Amino acid sequence: MKLIKLQDLYFKPFISSEEIAIIVKYLAKKVKADLPKGEIPIFVGILNGCFLFAADFIREFNGNCEVSFIKLASYNGISSTGNVKKLVGINEDLTGRTIIILEDIIDTGTTLQEIYNIFREKNVKQLKVATLFFKPSVFRKELPIDYIGKSIEDKFIIGYGLDYNGLGRNYPAIYQRSTTPKMKNIVLFGPPGAGKGTQAEFLKDMYNLVHISTGDVFRFNIKNKTELGLLAKKYMDEGDLVPDEVTINMLKAEVEKNTDANGFIFDGFPRTQSQAEALDAFLGDKGEQINGMVALEVAEDILVTRLLERGKTSGRTDDTDESKIRNRFNEYNTKTAILKEYFEAQDKYYGINGVGSIEEITRRISKVFDTL
Ligand code: AMP
């Protein structure tokens, strides 16, 4: 899940391809059930937006049918009264036939009106309209719509055939217009001891970001003997991850405490695939996103030595026992390391050599931060 940018506008995930598939299947079943036995309908798709819907619908229809498409083009200046819509493309004889219009979306109903006008003169047996999406709040006509997949609010959407200035039709899911993101959100990533916390302290001031370390928040709760602290302690002491649900809820609460932040440095979060997905969805709902994952790459042997060294002064019980440290690496390697691929798939992964002086590494990271 991520925000999509098309020219000047941003769009956030709205209706998943799984949900679309369920709606399309439901529509196809309902249309089929209402047809008299043996009736062969002609499906007429309204181009361009309907092409994916029509293709999926017709596959789900599961019966003999004919398929045609029309395109309604609007011209300016042909008459002084404004737009003239013209039918492009239907040649079949429709006399006595059952026509089922396939529309991707009906909003004001202007196009629908035009469709009814066109078919009025064709002597069809019946005309039915099936639309995938419908915007009831802007519909201005007294025209029947026989099948509605899903009613939605009046916000601009793209994907699954629908476009913005010609772009976006190719996405398999539906995205909704979103505000331009205001935040810079960065995941500072790397195995235990890589230096995420140290670096975050410098970077948060340089970039005026809020630093959230889930490890620090847990330790704060343990120190103050809160319910959350008591729960987390038994996992942390063993070097195990705290369960996702607990961690995700805590993270969300931390973000909500800083709603006017310029952005966040997430340190120690996400650590699992489901944490990453939850973070994406959570930020997406706010019209925000992760700009990048900056990963400190350091070999494990160096890290164990570093952590044991840190354990002498940090007061962290999970830094003193080598077997607990090894377990933290095991957790990292089995549950967390895969997030590299998760962010790579979104073109958001930036690996950085995490060996060197603190200042040197800050410089390497800030070179990446500046581009995000
Ligand atoms: P850290 O300070 O990031 O090394 O975290 C110390 C410990 O806190 C980890 O070993 C986990 O037990 C717990 N913890 C911190 N962040 C998370 C997270 N995102 N998910 C699960 N457990 C976490």
Side-chain angles (χ1 to χ4, degrees), residues 160-201:
Y160 197 66
L162 292 119
D163 74 305
Y164 168 58
N165 279 348
L167 298 174
R169 297 190 197 274
N170 52 306
Y171 290 100
I174 297 285
Y175 292 76
Q176 187 182 57
R177 167 94 198 267
S178 172
T179 48
T180 303
K182 294 178 194 76
M183 290 180 171
K184 181 172 180 123
N185 294 313
I186 290 160
V187 174
L188 203 51
F189 193 65
K196 303 184 292 289
T198 308
Q199 292 298 333
E201 283 305 310

Side-chain angles (χ1 to χ4, degrees), residues 63 66 99 136 209 257 299 319:
E66 292 177 36
I99 309 298
L209 302 172
K257 281 183 200 162
D319 280 349

Side-chain angles (χ1 to χ4, degrees), residues 121-135:
E121 295 140 27
K122 302 264 183 206
N123 298 316
V124 302
K125 179 166 140 197
Q126 60 172 343
L127 177 70
K128 288 193 166 189
V129 174
T131 186
L132 180 56
F133 299 117
F134 176 54
K135 289 183 174 173

Side-chain angles (χ1 to χ4, degrees), residues 50-101:
C50 84
F51 75 105
L52 286 180
F53 169 49
D56 287 342
F57 176 97
I58 289 158
R59 266 184 290 216
E60 290 291 348
F61 176 70
N62 225 342
N64 285 335
C65 59
E66 292 177 36
V67 180
S68 192
F69 291 92
I70 58 176
K71 183 163 175 157
L72 296 170
S74 50
Y75 296 93
N76 269 320
I78 288 180
S79 72
S80 57
T81 51
N83 285 1
V84 175
K85 302 235 168 175
K86 191 179 177 217
L87 172 66
V88 180
I90 209 153
N91 305 312
E92 292 93 335
D93 178 11
L94 305 179
T95 313
R97 300 297 302 271
T98 291
I99 309 298
I100 295 168
I101 300 295

Side-chain angles (χ1 to χ4, degrees), residues 214-215 218-219 236 240-242 247 268-269 271 275 316:
T214 41
F218 282 133
R219 281 184 287 276
M236 290 176 72
D240 290 334
L241 293 186
V242 178
T247 311
F269 188 97
R271 258 179 157 103
Q275 289 181 14
R316 281 181 58 167

Side-chain angles (χ1 to χ4, degrees), residues 205-230:
D205 293 334
M206 289 169 70
Y207 293 91
N208 191 18
L209 302 172
V210 174
H211 172 207
I212 299 181
S213 155
T214 41
D216 285 350
V217 181
F218 282 133
R219 281 184 287 276
F220 178 83
N221 278 276
I222 290 173
K223 207 171 122 202
N224 290 286
K225 299 201 166 57
T226 67
E227 206 178 315
L228 175 65
L230 288 176

